[in-house]
């Protein structure tokens, strides 16, 4: 049956409206999908941002305590720095002292060398009134010297033992102080860096969230407009017929304009998530740093008494070390003085021989001069006696005794005598009294004396 023109027009109108509604529904579906996606992105970004701020708040709450701990640790660092400098100074002093104590073997070797030379130097038998001469070493107080050498060796061994214990104690104290200072310094530096970093990260997240919120508002507004249009089309036909294809194209273009914001929002949420993960890691590290600082502070509380005990041990060892060092120095100085003394003794013996010979020669010269003078005096006395006898025989007997009593006195005899009695020097086997020339043995002694003088100087 054929339709009337009016019914055909009504049917075509319904078909056109239905097609229009489907287009708008498809456009609404696109907007709904974009809105849902962007809303999911926004929820995820907001959750990540809240998580980041939660960790930042935890870090900020812990920071106040950490600042107090850090201030105390910094103060203790300054104390430890001064203490470490003192420990290093003591360490250097120890090494310097022990290097000077290594002279002990050199002093002993010097004495042994001197004694070997003294044992090889014979003493002239005439000096000791013995048939066989003795050596110079026989005049050394060897027991006293060996006793001093033993004391020096024993004192040095005790000093070395104290030194090893002292050095170990100092090394342990230095290692503990350096370890403590290193851990506290590193913690303070990392915390300062992390706090500056997370605040910048929060600002970046807020900027991304603000951009996403703007995009979400735009997409939601476009969705609401399309949804409102669809409701109109599903309502009264008279109202629906007022929407043209140009209106659809306008809304479709607006939809096309806002849909790329979903991709931008995806990129933003990825950046926000990355910041969240980074801050999560920093939060864990921050908590570790906080725990480390707390442990450092607790370690300081435990380390303080231990350090006091160790420093008391160091002071006690220092006292013992200084006391033994003084004893070693005194013994070594005494041994050095003895070495110098016996070196001069060796030289003095050679000069003694020369002096004896010189005095013998001088005495011989003086004796000859005295004998000559005495002979002249005796001759003058004899001549005076003869002249006096001649005077008395010829003239004196006629003179009264009271006239000049002194003329009757005998001649005066003069005798040359030494002012004091001195011991007679021995006539050495190394001398030649008649010629006054030194023997080859004396020349050898003189050479030895010169060598000993060079060694002593």
């Amino acid at each position: 049956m054929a339709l009337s023109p009016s019914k055909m027009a009504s049917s075509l109108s319904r078909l056109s409206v239905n097609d229009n509604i489907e287009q708008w529904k498809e456009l609404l579906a696109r907007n709904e999908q974009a809105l849902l996606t962007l809303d999911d992105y926004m929820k995820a970004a907001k959750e990540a941002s809240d998580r980041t701020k939660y960790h930042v708040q935890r870090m900020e709450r812990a920071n106040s305590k950490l600042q107090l701990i850090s201030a105390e640790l910094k103060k203790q660092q300054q104390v430890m720095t001064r203490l470490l400098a003192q420990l290093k100074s003591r360490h250097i002093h120890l090494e310097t002292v022990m290097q000077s104590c290594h002279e002990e073997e050199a002093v002993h070797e010097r004495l042994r060398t001197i004694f070997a030379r003294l044992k090889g130097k014979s003493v002239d038998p005439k000096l000791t009134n013995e048939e066989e001469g003795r050596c110079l070493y026989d005049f050394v107080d060897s027991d006293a010297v060996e006793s001093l050498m033993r004391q020096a060796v024993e004192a040095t061994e005790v000093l070395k033992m104290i030194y090893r214990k002292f050095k170990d104690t100092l090394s342990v104290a230095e290692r503990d102080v350096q370890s403590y200072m290193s851990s506290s310094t590193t913690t303070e530096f990392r915390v300062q860096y992390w706090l500056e970093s997370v605040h910048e990260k929060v600002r970046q997240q807020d900027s991304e969230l603000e951009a996403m919120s703007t995009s979400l508002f735009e997409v939601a507004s476009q969705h609401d407009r399309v949804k409102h249009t669809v409701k109109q089309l599903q309502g009264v036909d008279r109202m629906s017929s007022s929407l043209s294809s140009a209106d659809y194209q306008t809304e479709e273009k607006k939809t096309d304009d806002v849909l790329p914001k979903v991709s931008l929002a995806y990129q933003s949420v990825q950046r926000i998530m990355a910041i969240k993960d980074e801050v999560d890691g920093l939060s864990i590290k921050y908590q570790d740093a906080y725990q480390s600082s707390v442990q450092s502070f607790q370690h300081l509380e435990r380390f303080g008494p231990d350090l006091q005990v160790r420093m008391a041990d160091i002071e006690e060892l220092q006292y013992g070390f200084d006391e033994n060092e003084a004893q070693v120095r005194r013994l070594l100085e005494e041994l050095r003085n003895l070495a110098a003394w016996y070196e001069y003794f060796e030289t003095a013996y050679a000069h003694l021989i020369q002096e004896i010979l010189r005095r013998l020669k001088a005495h011989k010269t003086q004796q000859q001069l005295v004998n000559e003078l005495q002979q002249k005096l005796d001759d003058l006395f004899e001549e005076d006696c003869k002249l006096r006898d001649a005077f008395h025989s010829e003239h004196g007997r006629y003179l009264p005794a009271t006239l000049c009593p002194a003329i009757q006195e005998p001649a005066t005899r003069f005798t040359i005598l030494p002012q004091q009695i001195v011991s007679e020097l021995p006539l050495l086997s190394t001398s030649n009294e008649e010629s006054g020339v030194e023997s080859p043995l004396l020349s050898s002694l003189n050479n030895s004396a010169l060598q000993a003088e060079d060694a002593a100087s």
Side-chain angles (χ1 to χ4, degrees):
M1 181 177 65
L3 296 175
S4 64
S6 59
K7 290 183 178 180
M8 287 182 65
S10 176
S11 176
L12 290 173
S13 177
R14 285 194 299 270
L15 180 61
S16 176
V17 170
N18 289 337
D19 290 341
N20 196 14
I21 290 175
E22 290 301 323
Q23 287 180 340
W24 281 95
K25 283 183 177 181
E26 290 178 1
L27 187 61
L28 177 61
R30 291 173 59 192
N31 278 274
E32 285 181 348
Q33 182 64 38
L35 181 61
L36 291 174
T37 302
L38 190 55
D39 188 57
D40 290 340
Y41 288 164
M42 192 66 189
K43 290 179 180 177
K46 189 67 171 61
E47 183 179 354
S49 177
D50 292 342
R51 180 71 177 177
T52 299
K53 291 178 180 178
Y54 167 75
H55 284 303
V56 172
Q57 289 173 355
R58 287 187 62 191
M59 295 169 70
E60 289 175 343
R61 283 195 300 269
N63 183 60
S64 58
K65 298 179 181 178
L66 190 56
Q67 292 299 325
L68 294 175
I69 296 176
S70 297
E72 182 62 27
L73 292 178
K74 187 174 182 180
K75 186 189 302 181
Q76 294 301 324
Q77 274 185 350
Q78 296 174 351
V79 176
M80 295 299 176
T81 300
R82 293 192 295 269
L83 177 60
L84 186 61
Q86 294 176 4
L87 293 174
K88 289 182 179 295
S89 177
R90 293 195 182 195
H91 217 148
I92 293 173
H93 174 69
L94 276 183
E95 298 296 337
T96 303
V97 170
M98 292 309 298
Q99 287 177 1
S100 63
C101 288
H102 290 161
E103 299 176 5
E104 172 211 355
E105 184 59 32
V107 174
H108 291 180
E109 182 61 28
R110 181 182 174 189
L111 281 169
R112 285 191 289 267
T113 301
I114 296 170
F115 291 160
R117 290 204 308 266
L118 294 179
K119 290 177 181 178
K121 299 293 173 61
S122 299
V123 177
D124 195 297
K126 299 293 184 179
L127 290 174
T128 58
N129 294 322
E130 296 179 359
E131 294 182 359
E132 294 184 1
R134 301 163 64 185
C135 64
L136 292 181
Y137 182 74
D138 295 332
F139 295 89
V140 174
D141 190 357
S142 57
D143 292 339
V145 175
E146 290 177 0
S147 176
L148 281 176
M149 292 174 71
R150 284 195 301 272
Q151 291 179 38
V153 171
E154 292 171 0
T156 303
E157 289 301 320
V158 172
L159 188 65
K160 289 179 180 178
M161 180 187 67
I162 297 176
Y163 162 75
R164 289 191 291 269
K165 188 174 181 180
F166 199 176
K167 183 178 179 180
D168 292 342
T169 304
L170 282 176
S171 298
V172 171
E174 287 180 17
R175 185 175 63 249
D176 289 346
V177 172
Q178 287 176 337
S179 175
Y180 165 75
M181 292 177 62
S182 176
S183 62
S184 59
T185 303
T186 304
T187 299
E188 184 179 3
F189 168 76
R190 289 181 302 189
V191 166
Q192 182 180 3
Y193 169 75
W194 291 337
L195 282 177
E196 294 175 355
S197 175
V198 295
H199 288 139
E200 178 62 26
K201 300 298 181 182
V202 169
R203 286 191 290 270
Q204 292 178 9
Q205 277 191 338
D206 290 341
S207 177
E208 297 287 352
L209 279 173
E210 185 178 357
M212 290 182 65
S213 296
T214 301
S215 298
L216 180 61
F217 176 77
E218 293 176 358
V219 171
S221 298
Q222 177 63 21
H223 171 268
D224 290 343
R225 284 195 299 271
V226 174
K227 185 177 181 179
H228 179 70
T229 301
V230 170
K231 285 183 178 180
Q232 286 180 338
L233 291 174
Q234 290 176 343
V236 182
D237 291 341
R238 182 172 50 80
M239 295 179 61
S240 300
S241 62
S242 63
L243 293 174
S244 65
S245 60
D247 295 328
Y248 174 80
Q249 291 176 357
T250 299
E251 296 301 326
E252 186 179 31
K253 183 178 183 306
K254 290 180 179 180
T255 299
D256 292 339
D257 291 339
V258 298
L259 287 182
K261 296 183 181 296
V262 177
S263 298
L264 295 176
Y266 175 77
Q267 296 175 8
S268 294
V269 77
Q270 291 298 316
R271 287 191 289 269
I272 291 174
M273 295 297 291
I275 291 173
K276 189 267 294 182
D277 293 340
E278 185 177 354
V279 173
D280 283 349
L282 288 176
S283 176
I284 294 173
K285 291 181 179 180
Y286 191 91
Q287 293 301 321
D288 292 341
Y290 175 77
Q291 293 298 326
S292 177
S293 298
V294 172
Q295 291 173 1
S296 296
F297 189 78
Q298 293 172 346
H299 174 64
L300 174 63
E301 293 179 333
R302 295 190 302 270
F303 179 64
D306 293 342
L307 183 61
Q308 291 179 352
V309 173
R310 189 168 290 120
M311 291 304 297
D313 294 340
I314 289 175
E315 292 297 331
E316 184 177 354
L317 288 170
Q318 180 78 61
Y319 177 79
F321 183 84
D322 292 342
E323 192 176 45
N324 279 271
E325 178 205 356
Q327 182 182 6
V328 170
R329 287 187 179 276
R330 178 182 60 80
L331 291 170
L332 290 180
E333 184 64 23
E334 192 168 350
L335 288 173
R336 277 192 289 267
N337 291 338
L338 284 173
W341 178 274
Y342 288 123
E343 283 175 344
Y344 287 123
F345 167 59
E346 181 183 7
T347 304
Y349 175 74
H351 286 285
L352 170 65
I353 300 300
Q354 292 179 340
E355 182 65 14
I356 291 175
L357 295 176
R358 185 198 65 78
R359 292 187 185 187
L360 288 172
K361 186 175 180 180
H363 180 73
K364 181 179 179 179
T365 303
Q366 293 171 4
Q367 189 65 45
Q368 289 175 351
L369 180 59
V370 168
N371 291 339
E372 292 174 359
L373 291 174
Q374 188 65 55
Q375 185 63 45
K376 290 183 179 180
L377 289 174
D378 291 343
D379 292 344
L380 291 173
F381 174 73
E382 292 295 335
E383 184 180 357
D384 188 27
C385 287
K386 290 178 181 180
L387 292 174
R388 285 178 184 232
D389 288 343
F391 172 77
H392 284 297
S393 297
E394 186 175 356
H395 306 290
R397 59 183 179 171
Y398 301 110
L399 296 174
T402 58
L403 181 59
C404 182
I407 201 66
Q408 303 295 328
E409 293 179 359
T412 302
R413 178 184 287 274
F414 291 93
T415 303
I416 301 176
L417 296 174
Q419 291 183 351
Q420 59 185 10
I421 305 300
V422 294
S423 301
E424 186 176 352
L425 289 172
L427 189 60
L428 300 177
S429 58
T430 57
S431 65
N432 189 329
E433 287 293 321
E434 296 180 357
S435 63
V437 178
E438 295 176 350
S439 67
L441 177 57
L442 180 59
S443 299
S444 175
L445 287 172
N446 290 338
N447 293 332
S448 300
L450 293 174
Q451 293 174 1
E453 285 180 343
D454 293 339
S457 63

